[in-house]
Amino acid sequence: MDRLTSLLGFFAFYVFFAIINYTVNIPPKSLSGKRKWDFYGQHISLLHAVSAVLISAYIYITERGVHYNEATNIMHIISISNSLSYFIYDTIYAELFQIHDLSMRIHHVCVLGGGSIMYLSDVGGSTAASNIYVVVMLIAEGSNPFLMMRNIMRAKSLKETKMYMAIEVCFALSFVYLRAVVFTFVLYNAWVSVMPFAAKIILSVTYSVGLFWIFIILNNIANKLPEYSYVRNFTVKMLTMISKNPIPTGLMIFIWAVIVPYFLTQMLHLGFLNIHTDNFVVL
């Protein structure tokens, strides 16, 4: 009952703030149709991103890091209820106003599928709804406040301001670090843990989507470097090669995200690869 109550409570929370947002928030006159509804949605996404990071960070700190196979407790349920209810709300909202593309639909399917499996699991608090989920939430949402603020500022024609550029840099750096570095450790340890197999697959797919987005972010960064910069030319050539070979690139990502962790943990039976600091399990 605690799970259902918290899920419905957070869903009502997001619906309530969506109504308030629609009532008091005035979108720029240049926005119309889907762009106007997307503008409203960005504010609720910002609310979720900030709340998810705060809740997850609180649990992560108070429980002294990641403990992959602990039992689920009420704080873990609150953490996952917040995000799962938001994604249910956001999926309905996005489909109602047709503002999501294919990649975002895949992302939502993965989040809803994996989140539901974790949400209903009683084993491995970290894997069910807590530490591993908390860390995944920190990874997934850690860069999103910057992304949402960037999108809102762009819609308000503030793209040329120093604040916008600073937020864009923060988003790019945090996204690449969290998705490419931190998530790699967490994904491997998730495969070692007692997390349900289906959730491991969905987590790997989510990781793969993140790697795809990293290519897009790197391309945007490269295009803003000086035209004759060696780094720019090298990065552009590399990304061009990747974009021209989507099937081999996708296959490599699949092998790295699914086959490698499966082989290491399920066939070679390697153990956790934790990073410790005193009594704190960082990853």
Side-chain angles (χ1 to χ4, degrees), residues 46-173:
L46 177 60
L47 174 64
H48 166 253
V50 173
S51 64
V53 168
L54 291 177
I55 295 172
S56 300
Y58 173 79
I59 298 172
Y60 178 70
I61 293 170
T62 56
E63 295 192 351
R64 302 195 63 77
V66 192
H67 306 285
Y68 290 88
N69 292 327
E70 286 190 356
T72 302
N73 62 45
I74 186 62
M75 288 304 299
H76 308 153
I77 293 173
I78 290 174
S79 173
I80 195 171
S81 294
N82 175 48
S83 294
L84 189 57
S85 62
Y86 163 75
F87 279 106
I88 293 172
Y89 157 81
D90 192 54
T91 300
I92 296 172
Y93 181 88
E95 293 305 320
L96 183 63
F97 296 106
Q98 294 294 300
I99 57 177
H100 274 179
D101 56 17
L102 179 60
S103 64
M104 287 305 298
R105 286 193 175 100
I106 294 174
H107 175 256
H108 273 57
V109 168
C110 291
V111 170
L112 290 173
S116 297
I117 292 171
M118 296 177 190
Y119 184 67
L120 296 173
S121 176
D122 292 321
V123 181
S126 301
T127 52
S130 71
N131 280 294
I132 193 170
Y133 185 79
V134 163
V135 175
V136 169
M137 285 309 303
L138 287 172
I139 292 168
E141 301 298 335
S143 59
N144 276 357
F146 300 116
L147 174 63
M148 300 308 149
M149 287 188 288
R150 187 192 71 165
N151 291 344
I152 292 170
M153 292 183 71
R154 179 186 295 173
K156 292 183 176 181
S157 300
L158 299 173
K159 192 174 179 179
E160 303 303 322
T161 63
K162 291 182 179 180
M163 178 63 74
Y164 178 89
M165 289 186 285
I167 289 174
E168 190 168 43
V169 170
C170 289
F171 165 68
L173 293 177

